[in-house]
Amino acid sequence: MRAARLIKMVLLLQSRPTMTASELARELEVSERTVTRDAQALSEAGVPVYAERGRAGGYRLVGGYRTRLTGLARGEAEALFLSGVPGALREMGLEDIASAARLKVSAALLPSLRDAPRTAAQRFHLDAPAWFREPAAPALLPAIADAVWDDRRVSARYRRGESEVVRELEPYGLVLKAGVWYLCARVCGTGTTSTGTGVTESGATGTATTTATGAGAGVFRTYRIDRFTGVDVMEDRFSRDEGFDLPGFWDEQAERFARSILRAEVVLRLSATGVRNLPHAVDPVAARDALAGVPEPDGTDRVTVTLRVESEAVAHTQLAALGPEAEVLSPATLRERFAADAIRLTEVYGRRER
């Protein structure tokens, strides 16, 4: 364990000019005292780690020291070739660059590890799109990906209902979710323009061209890239907020979206099997909320929960998967639909073959 940690410490210092003891401790998941001991051990082993004292001090490598990839274990080498998503790289226009990088890494490996790309590809394959969906990469994705890599502002036009909105954005990151590409971006303060028929950015209804100066400026938002109708990449670059956490932002936005569409409530009585299967039948966020602090079972060994759903029609489709493990108590109209289903099922399965 310590040898792996020392290697990671060298690689961290090799990738950054200087790192404080607290930064290294956080990355290595150890105490600052352990960082001090590890730095001393590296220095004694001939690795030129230099400690600078003072408020702006930290640890750094001196003399342009570089380590090689020959220390990779087989599992690490194979994992390295699993880190890319070939389809996603191709859609972003990065397939050739990624291929060249893999070749360079392969050439740097020990001879005994040269087969790592082949062994990894034989054992694992990632197919990102959902079932029953014909994957289609948005035509504007490569241009947006270039802007993300170069930190360049973009002027983007996208569909919003029946109108078209124009916004200047700072593109921070791309997310591929179930075969659909999304852009996480910060809205610039130069204003937006909305044209067309429908509800515009200003909230007006009808055919209009509306400009909202500074609307949403500084706010991070998520956009589906297949709704972009045009993207102009600008020459000027933006200063990236280093505190922005793309995975954390996406998780927060995804959960917020899931909650926003859950506008109705259903009261259910669930068996123990129904409790176990509820997260597989309905939205996971809704199931988690419904089952939080589940009360004690009643006299029939069932529990009563309140479940938020998108609509009664959606709830009817989702809860049907639970069969008799879930009983709808309210709303009455949904309960009546399931009662009618039960009568029809009895008629179908109650028939005897003659």
Side-chain angles (χ1 to χ4, degrees):
M1 285 292 292
R2 191 190 186 197
R5 190 175 71 243
L6 291 175
I7 292 173
K8 184 176 181 181
M9 184 175 180
V10 173
L11 293 175
L12 285 169
L13 293 174
Q14 185 173 294
S15 63
R16 306 179 195 178
T18 304
M19 292 188 70
T20 65
S22 61
E23 289 173 338
L24 284 167
R26 185 169 56 253
E27 291 282 354
L28 299 172
E29 298 180 351
V30 296
S31 66
E32 292 188 25
R33 181 173 296 180
T34 299
V35 169
T36 301
R37 288 198 298 264
D38 286 351
Q40 183 177 354
L42 287 172
S43 181
E44 292 173 354
V47 179
V49 178
Y50 177 71
E52 293 181 325
R53 306 294 180 185
R55 188 173 181 181
Y59 291 92
R60 64 184 179 89
L61 295 174
V62 297
Y65 179 85
R66 307 290 293 179
T67 187
R68 297 182 180 273
L69 291 173
T70 50
L72 283 176
R74 169 165 291 278
E76 295 170 332
E78 290 174 341
L80 178 64
F81 287 96
L82 286 175
S83 61
V85 184
L89 292 172
R90 182 173 56 253
E91 292 176 2
M92 288 189 292
L94 300 175
E95 185 177 25
D96 292 341
I97 295 174
S99 177
R102 284 193 293 269
L103 286 173
K104 291 178 180 179
V105 172
S106 296
L109 293 173
L110 289 171
S112 60
L113 301 179
R114 295 284 169 81
D115 64 339
R118 180 180 59 83
T119 58
Q122 287 176 337
R123 288 164 174 78
F124 299 98
H125 173 67
L126 176 61
D127 186 7
W131 286 104
F132 313 116
R133 181 192 296 273
E134 190 68 29
L140 297 173
L141 178 60
I144 295 174
D146 286 344
V148 169
W149 279 115
D150 291 341
D151 293 339
R152 293 186 183 274
R153 290 188 177 90
V154 299
S155 176
R157 299 181 298 280
Y158 67 96
R159 297 187 305 274
R160 183 174 179 178
E162 297 183 17
S163 64
E164 184 176 87
V165 176
V166 180
R167 266 195 173 145
E168 187 174 314
L169 305 171
E170 295 177 350
Y172 266 66
L174 294 168
V175 175
L176 177 60
K177 170 71 171 179
V180 179
W181 283 96
Y182 296 87
L183 172 67
C184 299
R186 182 163 59 183
V187 180
C188 298
T190 55
T192 62
T193 303
S194 175
T195 61
T197 303
V199 180
T200 65
E201 286 286 294
S202 64
T205 302
T207 302
T209 299
T210 305
T211 300
T213 303
V219 176
F220 284 97
R221 290 182 176 170
T222 304
Y223 303 88
R224 274 188 61 147
I225 293 182
D226 58 9
R227 292 180 181 168
F228 282 85
T229 59
V231 171
D232 296 321
V233 181
M234 302 179 179
E235 289 298 324
D236 58 321
R237 289 183 168 87
F238 62 91
S239 297
R240 178 175 288 267
D241 180 357
E242 296 301 331
F244 178 76
D245 175 21
L246 179 60
F249 173 77
W250 174 257
D251 289 344
E252 179 183 332
Q253 291 293 302
E255 182 161 335
R256 182 180 300 174
F257 171 75
R259 293 181 187 279
S260 71
I261 64 174
L262 304 175
R263 300 186 180 93
E265 287 188 349
V266 173
V267 179
L268 301 171
R269 292 176 72 235
L270 298 170
S271 67
T273 301
V275 170
R276 288 195 302 271
N277 292 340
L278 185 66
H280 305 293
V282 303
D283 180 84
V285 173
R288 185 172 68 244
D289 290 347
L291 298 177
V294 175
E296 291 296 320
D298 57 22
T300 61
D301 290 330
R302 293 195 170 223
V303 297
T304 301
V305 300
T306 300
L307 175 73
R308 292 191 302 155
V309 296
E310 185 175 345
S311 67
E312 186 174 311
V314 171
H316 179 249
T317 300
Q318 292 176 332
L319 296 175
L322 298 178
E325 308 305 329
E327 177 190 358
V328 174
L329 300 181
S330 68
T333 49
L334 182 58
R335 182 178 175 87
E336 291 168 2
R337 292 179 73 167
F338 277 106
D341 289 346
I343 294 172
R344 292 178 61 194
L345 285 170
T346 301
E347 292 174 350
V348 171
Y349 288 101
R351 296 174 187 158
R352 293 180 178 233
E353 295 293 336
R354 298 185 180 227

